[in-house]
Amino acid sequence: MKKIITYGSFDLFHEGHYNLLKRAKALGDKLIVGVTTEQFDIYRGKMNVVDSLMRRLDNVRNSGLADEIIVEDHDGQKIEDIQKHGIDIIVFGSDWTGKADYLNEYCQVVYFERTRDVSSTILRHERLGIVRLGIVGTGRIAERFMHESTFVSGVEVISVYNPRFESAKAFGDLHLLKQDSGEYEKFLENIDAVYIASPHETHYDYTRRTLIVGKHVLCEKPMVLTELEARELYTIASDNKVVLMEAVKTAYAPGFVNLLAIARGGRIGTIYDIEAAFTKLTPYKANTREYDPVVGGSFTELASYSLLPIVKLLGHEYKELEFESFYAPNGCDIYTRAHFRYDNAIATAKTGIGVKVKEACLSQELVVTF
Ligand code: CTP
């Protein structure tokens, strides 16, 4: 018996999917179809799959072409499946051409020409539209964001803003984006959302001006420098029914989300103490971004990370908070330890620039189970 396998999200099941399954089935006697889980899709950058896994499984089943349906949830599973099911041929659409050649070692790899002019992405865009994004700032982080955005569906970066037009132009030319000089409000006109990656002290103002005109904001950390500013911005966002998010990517990293799920699930016992540290060796240079005496310093720079596991696991209703810091000659903190006392737990968040916590790790829990 000749066995064929193929994989996909099969979101909003369409003609292209049907054609591929039909041709795949015609290659042998049994067709196995692997459908990706939501988590695996997010991991692959498909952030906006519409149909649930159950629905996608049903749609593949209803095509009447699959003899067996399995779920794909991790990298490397294709090799495991080929071996487990004794697969002879693995089939992909032509968008995969070359990318699955490594599987030739395990079975025959066949690429079929994709059906033209139809894809889940097109259907999703027709239904949901595409988020048109503008970037504020043109530095190293904006550069990295541009690169990452190419792996994320449903989003298109279309313009860039920097009050220094030459910088916006250089960035825009490099990434084929529209540049708007000078006027921030004009830059906001043709976009749905803004990613802010400008210097810390400008975050509040850009965020506020963006939310006020009803556009969503993803702002680099620290989003603001005071609690008052944060409260005001979240109120405006809520009044205007737009999303306001701080770009703390660790909060969404699958590893971190798993860690939280395990800790919250009680599987490792009751958590009495959390220690989290984020330190890095940035050479001291007075008044650079990191060492700015007003808006720099280790805690402003890095605390979003070390506070994350503490706030996520113990909440923000702490009873006491104490800080201890060491300072650079210009007065900015190079090392800070924040000690929290909760009703039934304690926690420490450490941050350092130019000071390194040996064997630092993002989160170490001291767990005692009775
Ligand atoms: N496929 C195809 N022709 C199309 C669309 C998809 O042959 N017009 C193939 C893909 O190459 C893949 C399989 O169908 O081998 C499952 O594809 P999937 O990624 O689920 O579908 P897409 O429509 O390509 O989804 P997306 O737009 O989200 O990438």
Side-chain angles (χ1 to χ4, degrees), residues 308-329:
L308 193 60
I310 298 173
V311 173
K312 290 279 188 192
L313 290 171
L314 300 178
H316 45 73
E317 301 285 311
Y318 52 84
K319 301 291 167 226
E320 283 170 36
L321 171 59
E322 271 172 30
F323 287 97
E324 281 192 280
S325 298
F326 293 105
Y327 299 94

Side-chain angles (χ1 to χ4, degrees), residues 6-11 14-17 19-20 23 44 46 49 91-96 112-122 124 153:
T6 192
Y7 295 87
S9 310
F10 300 101
D11 189 27
H14 56 69
E15 189 196 344
H17 295 142
N19 290 343
L20 184 99
R23 281 180 289 172
R44 299 186 312 144
K46 281 196 176 184
V49 168
V91 170
F92 296 93
S94 49
D95 49 319
W96 281 78
F112 281 131
E113 199 53 44
R114 276 170 71 95
T115 306
R116 290 170 69 102
D117 302 328
V118 60
S119 75
S120 306
T121 305
I122 295 174
R124 280 193 295 262
S153 55

Side-chain angles (χ1 to χ4, degrees), residues 99-300:
K99 291 183 204 148
D101 287 356
Y102 70 98
L103 295 170
N104 268 313
E105 210 180 294
Y106 304 91
C107 69
Q108 189 187 344
V109 179
V110 169
Y111 301 104
F112 281 131
E113 199 53 44
R114 276 170 71 95
T115 306
R116 290 170 69 102
D117 302 328
V118 60
S119 75
S120 306
T121 305
I122 295 174
L123 296 176
R124 280 193 295 262
H125 290 172
E126 280 170 9
R127 275 181 161 213
L128 308 170
I130 189 162
V131 177
R132 296 164 307 160
L133 203 72
I135 296 195
V136 178
T138 51
R140 194 173 45 94
I141 296 176
E143 201 61 69
R144 276 170 27 194
F145 184 90
M146 267 318 297
H147 176 70
E148 282 295 318
S149 72
T150 60
F151 298 97
V152 177
S153 55
V155 168
E156 194 185 351
V157 180
I158 61 163
S159 62
V160 58
Y161 175 84
N162 187 322
R164 285 182 34 235
F165 184 64
E166 322 80 71
S167 307
K169 179 154 176 28
F171 191 93
D173 287 348
L174 183 68
H175 299 289
L176 306 176
L177 307 178
K178 196 167 151 296
Q179 314 96 41
D180 280 282
S181 66
E183 230 201 300
Y184 189 68
E185 275 64 26
K186 198 158 182 305
F187 155 77
L188 295 176
E189 270 170 16
N190 297 316
I191 52 185
D192 308 305
V194 166
Y195 168 61
I196 299 172
S198 53
H200 298 343
E201 66 276 20
T202 64
H203 289 176
Y204 164 77
D205 187 51
Y206 284 135
T207 302
R208 192 173 184 284
R209 287 158 76 185
T210 312
L211 296 173
I212 275 177
V213 294
K215 314 270 168 158
H216 310 286
V217 174
L218 175 66
C219 183
E220 263 310 324
K221 62 212 159 301
M223 184 172 77
V224 288
L225 298 167
T226 68
E227 180 185 341
L228 207 66
E229 290 173 344
R231 289 194 181 281
E232 181 195 347
L233 294 181
Y234 279 112
T235 304
I236 301 174
S238 151
D239 290 349
N240 287 354
K241 298 190 174 43
V242 285
V243 175
L244 169 60
M245 278 175 86
E246 193 179 31
V248 186
K249 77 169 188 307
T250 309
Y252 307 94
F256 184 74
V257 173
N258 273 343
L259 181 146
L260 290 184
I262 291 168
R264 281 183 185 147
R267 234 193 298 166
I268 57 167
T270 305
I271 295 171
Y272 286 96
D273 189 6
I274 299 177
E275 251 187 70
F278 195 136
T279 58
K280 59 179 183 180
L281 292 177
T282 310
Y284 175 64
K285 249 201 221 157
N287 307 333
T288 50
R289 183 176 63 85
E290 283 94 346
Y291 288 100
D292 185 294
V294 182
V295 295
S298 79
F299 208 71
T300 308

Side-chain angles (χ1 to χ4, degrees), residues 48-117:
N48 56 355
V49 168
V50 172
D51 288 338
S52 66
L53 174 60
M54 281 305 166
R55 186 172 196 138
R56 292 181 286 124
L57 290 167
D58 278 348
N59 287 341
V60 170
R61 188 174 304 112
N62 293 341
S63 74
L65 294 165
D67 298 294
E68 187 176 339
I69 303 176
I70 58 172
V71 167
E72 185 188 24
D73 66 3
H74 61 274
D75 265 337
Q77 186 181 325
K78 293 187 176 70
I79 295 174
E80 293 164 17
D81 289 341
I82 291 167
Q83 293 174 331
K84 182 167 147 196
H85 296 280
I87 298 297
D88 299 285
I89 304 176
I90 184 162
V91 170
F92 296 93
S94 49
D95 49 319
W96 281 78
T97 304
K99 291 183 204 148
D101 287 356
Y102 70 98
L103 295 170
N104 268 313
E105 210 180 294
Y106 304 91
C107 69
Q108 189 187 344
V109 179
V110 169
Y111 301 104
F112 281 131
E113 199 53 44
R114 276 170 71 95
T115 306
R116 290 170 69 102
D117 302 328

